[in-house]
Structures are given as C-alpha cells and as structure tokens.
Amino acid sequence: MECNKEKNISKLCNCTYEPCSRKGTCCECLHYHFSHGELPGCVFPDDAERTWDRSIGHFVRLYQAGRI
Ligand code: SF4
C-alpha cells in the first residue's frame, strides 16, 4: 500500500507546527505523539490545534465541552 502523503497534507492535515518531517505521514505522526501521551494535531479543532497542546487531557476537555 502506497503512502498518500501529499493527499494527507492537502486534505487532512491541519497542523501549524513548522517544520515537521512527519507531516502527511500519519502513521509516524500518530506513533510519535501517542508515545508522548498526546494525539496528532488533526484530531483537534483548528483553534485548539494552534495552541500546540496535543495532550490527551486537552482532547478530553474539548470532547466533554462538545467541541469534538
Ligand atoms: S501533529 Fe505533530 S507529528 Fe504530526 S505533523 Fe504536526 S507536529 Fe508533526
């Protein structure tokens, strides 16, 4: 299976952190953040993504607030 890196970047990735070599390589992005107790930027709404707080706790708070 081929990686859809360019499609992922153009259609799915809302990450504002530059530069990042994992951008568009979702498998690496997920493993990197999850190994740090975090989630990828794309699971956060745009305004929350821009805080660069990718913690699971941040995600849960947004979810409980009905933002996700
Ligand atoms: S969410 Fe993290 S690993 Fe993924 S592209 Fe953005 S900075 Fe890189």
Side-chain angles (χ1 to χ4, degrees):
M1 182 176 164
E2 237 175 81
C3 181
N4 294 318
K5 183 171 184 170
E6 297 311 316
K7 183 178 164 195
N8 293 339
I9 290 173
S10 65
K11 302 226 185 278
L12 299 175
C13 183
N14 67 346
C15 180
T16 58
Y17 187 81
E18 300 284 354
C20 177
S21 62
R22 299 176 192 88
K23 204 160 279 193
T25 311
C26 306
C27 49
E28 290 183 11
C29 178
L30 174 63
H31 281 280
Y32 173 78
H33 282 293
F34 201 61
S35 71
H36 290 83
E38 299 172 344
L39 294 168
C42 61
V43 303
F44 294 91
D46 289 349
D47 63 324
E49 186 285 325
R50 286 192 293 272
T51 69
W52 294 346
D53 179 355
R54 311 227 188 286
S55 65
I56 293 171
H58 187 201
F59 179 85
V60 169
R61 287 190 295 278
L62 290 168
Y63 184 85
Q64 288 173 333
R67 301 268 332 273
I68 295 172

